[in-house]
Amino acid sequence: MAAHTENEITIAAPLDLVWDMTNDIQNWPRLFSEYASVEVLHRDGHRTTFRLTMYPDDQGRVWSWVSERVADRMTRTVWAHRVETGPFEYMKIRWEYTETPHGTRMDWIQDFTMKPDAPVDDAGMTEIINRNSREQMALIRDRIERAAGERRSAAVLTD
């Protein structure tokens, strides 16, 4: 059985800033609270293969995996999948960016299936992903809005 999640947030910042900050993979440990490190393994145009390592969980386990990500600025879409699937049979992720009157809406869509021997089933992982996505998206929103405010302040000072 396949599982599916969709989460969205509107960030009061221009699309270019939201795109640049959320697609700067090497900066993800400063943008997300869950990633301890990122290692870019290969770049080919808009395709990036990288290793993400999380901070230890409550049981002291450190989760790490390799993903591949293709960012298409023209369509304002990012497609990604796990190369090293870990507890997932597969994990596919799509990020979409939309300009709105209130800023930039960012949508995260994830499709996945857990392996039979995974520590949680599809329903359990759906709950985890939805909870974690909301937390991370709010954190990212706050950090990008802060950066947007700093840019506006700097622009006023130089005028």
Side-chain angles (χ1 to χ4, degrees):
M1 184 179 145
H4 177 85
T5 66
E6 292 187 28
N7 290 279
E8 71 175 60
I9 196 160
T10 298
I11 302 169
L15 176 82
D16 285 339
L17 179 61
V18 175
W19 177 272
D20 290 344
M21 288 185 70
T22 58
N23 286 290
D24 180 2
I25 296 169
Q26 291 174 291
N27 193 49
W28 279 6
R30 289 179 292 282
L31 188 62
F32 291 80
S33 64
E34 61 189 346
Y35 299 139
S37 67
V38 62
E39 176 187 4
V40 173
L41 304 172
H42 182 74
R43 284 191 196 273
D44 182 15
H46 300 288
R47 183 179 308 273
T48 305
T49 305
F50 57 100
R51 174 173 294 284
L52 278 175
T53 302
M54 298 182 77
Y55 288 103
D57 66 15
D58 294 340
Q59 288 78 42
R61 293 176 299 206
V62 175
W63 299 93
S64 181
W65 64 91
V66 172
S67 288
E68 183 179 76
R69 184 175 169 86
V70 178
D72 184 345
R73 195 174 196 126
M74 292 294 291
T75 63
R76 301 174 178 166
T77 306
V78 177
W79 294 90
H81 70 277
R82 283 190 178 201
V83 176
E84 292 178 2
T85 57
F88 296 91
E89 287 285 342
Y90 68 89
M91 166 61 86
K92 296 178 182 177
I93 304 167
R94 187 173 77 243
W95 290 15
E96 297 176 350
Y97 300 80
T98 307
E99 287 183 285
T100 75
H102 305 289
T104 303
R105 190 180 78 227
M106 182 173 63
D107 295 85
W108 291 353
I109 301 100
Q110 295 173 277
D111 292 293
F112 60 92
T113 297
M114 302 306 294
K115 290 179 179 173
D117 62 346
V120 296
D121 62 9
D122 288 354
M125 184 55 73
T126 297
E127 289 179 29
I128 291 167
I129 287 173
N130 281 330
R131 180 179 60 248
N132 191 57
S133 291
R134 286 188 292 271
E135 290 171 7
Q136 293 302 310
M137 290 177 118
L139 178 64
I140 289 167
R141 178 200 58 215
D142 294 347
R143 289 179 174 169
I144 293 174
E145 288 179 353
R146 188 175 323 113
E150 291 168 1
R151 288 182 181 199
R152 283 191 297 273
S153 295
V156 168
L157 293 175
T158 60
D159 286 344

